Amino acid sequence: MFAEQILNGLTLGSTYALIALGYTMVYGILELINFAHSEIYMTGAFIGLIMVTVYKMPFPLALIIAMAGSCLLGVTIEKVAYKPLRKSTRIAPLISAIGVSIFLQNAALILAGPQVRAFPVNFKSASIKLGQSIQMSSLQLLILLISIILMVGLHFLIHRTKLGQAMRATAQDKEAAQLMGIKIDRVISFTFAIGSALGGAAGVLVGVYFNSVDPMMGFFPGLKGFVAAVLGGIGNIPGAMLGGLILGIVEVLGAVYMSRYKDAIAFAVLIIILLVKPTGLLGRKLQEKV
Amino acid sequence: MLRLENVTAHYGTIQALKGVSINVNEGEIVTVIGANGAGKTTLLKTICGLVSATSGKVYFYDMDITNLPTSDIVAAGIVMVPEGRRIFPRMTVLENLQLGGYLNRNKSETKANMERVFELFPILKDRLHQIAGTLSGGEQQMLAIGRALMSRPKLLLLDEPSMGLAPKIVLSIFDIIRQINREGTTILLVEQNAHMALSTAHKAYVLETGRILMEDTAEKLLHNEQVRKAYLGEA
């Protein structure tokens, strides 16, 4: 029973981790909380749903198209809403992000209507036995596997490719990165692209997992992904993965004992982490600026 | 090789350069000395496109590079070693050097360039897998210069390479600067340490509150009474 709950927590947590990665990557480079990220997640879910229901696409293809669509949306948001404000005060792009978030929610409400839709996936749900008493649905396994593949892929991209190296350099020192000949505008676009694709993938996976998609679906997962990013140390990529998994487990276990407070748990975690270790689990100490 | 014509630039709302014209010939070490806030760093940043010139022109060979994106200027062969070294602190020495060769897609050339950097700075080879932020100040300065050399620049811009370093290390850094120059790289050096800069350079400019005050051979300026009083701390 306990082990099963841990597995449930890991499944949910892996989707939080995917969302948290988008927040943390953007923060790492621009020191901006991209509040529109939760709507990128929602848009990903809708694109996936449309591909599956309207165009009758197989699930893997729908997932890829949803990721591509979210990626495009993320890059467009950056170009339209953040880039023109890059030299202004820090609060300006933050307000712009909230504006984009509200705009996208309402655009989805107009286009899709407020009703909750099912996400029918032609997928035989079987339960898999791990050991004697632990069961896991094949859907959970699929979600976990896809999340892990995406995270391993991201790790490879960031640590083994030239582009990943340019991303890390830009995150550490934008001006020095420019002096290496790195086109940082391109790196920033790319960061939004990757983070948004992961967020869109999370939207599809959660849509399938809970069999529900609606224009407001991004609100809580978006906030929780943000909490996961802060928990792991905002700006820190392994931290976002760890934070997501921990938050998922804590939330699922907490819900067993006090189910009414399920959504409150994440925010209790946020308050505790901000009180005890504001830089997050893997975050670096903030350097004092002289 | 590098020619600035009447360049003005702003740093925030302050006009940091008020019409600066300088000339760097191929093969030279040229220095710009001046007090804190004279506009030295802004001058270098304007050359490499990090600060945009509000008027005036920057020519590199006969190409107008005024306000080009920094990546294009680096690709043209101008690389700056910024003030305070600005190495990537959470990456290894190796990764820092690799980033210095970011624009070069030719792997064997990159390797050869790295070997050349190791010849100048053998210590970097010993520290190859160390996290750059844990190096000593002098080693970080060597890494910053080595990183800049990875793209085989034609013109190297050095911003305060002596800053924060022990006198002995300053001497060896300036030895290496001369050696880099002898091996064919033109150098534009900006320094507060006027004595070191003037005894290293061929030609020198004195920059004061955004204007070029004097221009002569470094040798002559080193013995100029006004310069000695204002910048060399002599009565």
Side-chain angles (χ1 to χ4, degrees):
Chain A
M1 176 65 194
F2 182 74
E4 272 185 26
Q5 292 299 346
I6 296 283
L7 273 176
N8 289 337
L10 282 177
T11 309
L12 187 65
S14 65
T15 65
Y16 290 160
L18 287 180
I19 303 169
L21 283 168
Y23 281 111
T24 228
M25 286 169 74
V26 166
Y27 187 87
I29 284 201
L30 288 182
E31 296 190 6
L32 163 74
I33 306 294
N34 179 15
F35 278 114
H37 195 55
S38 46
E39 276 54 58
I40 293 171
Y41 161 95
M42 174 269 291
T43 308
F46 266 103
I47 296 174
L49 179 67
I50 292 167
M51 291 304 136
V52 166
T53 54
V54 180
Y55 297 100
K56 311 288 178 209
M57 278 183 193
F59 178 70
L61 187 61
L63 177 67
I64 289 170
I65 292 181
M67 286 173 73
S70 322
C71 165
L72 203 65
L73 178 65
V75 172
T76 310
I77 292 172
E78 194 271 327
K79 285 266 180 294
V80 174
Y82 307 148
K83 197 178 168 195
L85 299 171
R86 208 172 289 156
K87 291 211 168 93
S88 49
T89 55
R90 277 185 67 176
I91 194 86
L94 207 64
I95 293 168
S96 185
I98 294 169
V100 172
S101 168
I102 295 170
F103 171 81
L104 288 175
Q105 269 178 14
N106 286 282
L109 275 172
I110 293 169
L111 292 172
Q115 69 275 29
V116 176
R117 291 155 198 267
F119 200 136
V121 177
N122 191 7
F123 187 76
K124 280 198 193 84
S125 195
S127 69
I128 298 156
K129 272 194 193 269
L130 305 163
Q132 288 188 317
S133 58
I134 308 168
Q135 280 194 19
M136 160 177 221
S137 77
S138 49
L139 183 63
Q140 280 184 314
L141 187 68
L142 181 79
I143 290 172
L144 253 179
L145 273 181
I146 292 177
S147 306
I148 291 170
I149 290 169
L150 290 175
M151 285 190 255
V152 170
L154 177 71
H155 186 84
F156 177 83
L157 176 85
I158 286 177
H159 289 278
R160 294 278 178 273
T161 67
K162 208 167 170 175
L163 187 67
Q165 203 175 35
M167 283 170 75
R168 283 181 294 140
T170 307
Q172 287 183 29
D173 190 332
K174 272 201 264 306
E175 215 171 67
Q178 280 174 282
L179 290 173
M180 304 297 108
I182 294 169
K183 294 188 169 82
I184 60 163
D185 280 345
R186 208 174 279 179
V187 170
I188 291 169
S189 277
F190 197 78
T191 305
F192 271 87
I194 300 291
S196 304
L198 295 177
V204 175
L205 295 178
V206 173
V208 172
Y209 192 30
F210 295 125
N211 195 20
S212 93
V213 174
D214 72 280
M216 294 300 169
M217 71 181 280
F219 183 70
F220 271 116
L223 283 177
K224 288 174 188 170
F226 172 62
V227 172
V230 174
L231 175 61
I234 189 113
N236 184 306
I237 287 175
M241 298 182 191
L242 182 70
L245 295 179
I246 291 177
L247 187 65
I249 291 170
V250 170
E251 196 177 289
V252 166
L253 289 183
V256 173
Y257 301 104
M258 35 182 188
S259 56
R260 281 194 301 169
Y261 297 104
K262 184 172 169 287
D263 285 330
I265 292 167
F267 305 109
V269 168
L270 178 65
I271 292 168
I272 292 167
I273 196 81
L274 288 177
L275 286 174
V276 179
K277 198 168 185 302
T279 52
L281 295 173
L282 303 184
R284 283 172 294 117
K285 281 205 182 102
L286 289 175
Q287 274 183 338
E288 300 223 2
K289 297 234 164 116
V290 183
Chain B
M1 178 187 213
L2 179 80
R3 201 168 81 245
L4 270 70
E5 286 177 2
N6 226 356
V7 170
T8 64
H10 289 75
Y11 198 87
T13 52
I14 303 156
Q15 189 175 10
L17 299 180
K18 301 166 181 165
V20 171
S21 302
I22 65 169
N23 209 339
V24 179
N25 294 321
E26 195 145 14
E28 284 180 331
I29 300 180
V30 175
T31 187
V32 177
I33 59 170
N36 221 346
K40 301 187 303 292
T41 297
T42 308
L43 176 69
L44 292 193
K45 283 189 173 178
T46 309
I47 293 171
C48 60
L50 287 175
V51 168
S52 46
T54 33
S55 71
K57 289 282 178 199
V58 183
Y59 294 98
F60 185 54
Y61 293 105
D62 284 314
M63 185 167 73
D64 182 357
I65 59 163
T66 322
N67 297 339
L68 282 185
T70 304
S71 55
D72 291 359
I73 292 172
V74 174
I78 300 179
V79 175
M80 171 163 133
V81 179
E83 183 181 351
R85 308 180 278 268
R86 305 282 285 271
I87 49 158
F88 299 108
R90 296 189 297 285
M91 292 192 190
T92 62
V93 169
L94 176 66
E95 283 183 299
N96 269 276
L97 292 176
Q98 283 170 343
L99 280 160
Y102 181 78
L103 289 177
N104 195 338
R105 292 183 187 283
N106 184 328
K107 276 192 179 161
S108 63
E109 263 180 45
T110 301
K111 220 178 150 197
N113 290 342
M114 207 177 284
E115 284 306 320
R116 183 170 166 255
V117 170
F118 293 151
E119 274 168 33
L120 285 168
F121 307 106
I123 188 95
L124 294 182
K125 197 169 187 175
D126 302 334
R127 300 260 191 270
L128 204 55
H129 298 289
Q130 194 171 324
I131 298 295
T134 65
L135 297 175
S136 73
E139 288 163 356
Q140 290 190 10
Q141 186 63 61
M142 293 178 197
L143 177 58
I145 296 174
R147 182 180 66 176
L149 291 176
M150 283 298 294
S151 65
R152 288 224 158 223
K154 298 186 182 85
L155 173 65
L156 187 64
L157 310 178
L158 296 170
D159 193 355
E160 306 270 2
S162 75
M163 197 173 72
L165 300 181
K168 213 177 123 186
I169 296 166
V170 172
L171 285 177
S172 66
I173 293 279
F174 274 84
D175 275 343
I176 288 164
I177 292 172
R178 283 189 209 99
Q179 190 182 342
I180 292 167
N181 175 249
R182 274 197 305 274
E183 288 171 13
T185 310
T186 308
I187 290 172
L188 176 57
L189 167 71
V190 148
E191 259 297 344
Q192 273 192 66
N193 185 338
H195 184 81
M196 270 319 303
L198 291 176
S199 41
T200 306
H202 304 110
K203 193 168 74 181
Y205 292 88
V206 178
L207 187 67
E208 206 172 273
T209 54
R211 285 196 178 87
I212 296 289
L213 209 67
M214 280 184 256
E215 140 176 30
D216 212 327
T217 63
E219 175 90 33
K220 277 189 184 155
L221 283 183
L222 192 57
H223 297 103
N224 179 299
E225 202 171 323
Q226 212 182 333
V227 172
R228 294 182 79 91
K229 267 189 196 161
Y231 300 104
L232 298 171
E234 290 176 21

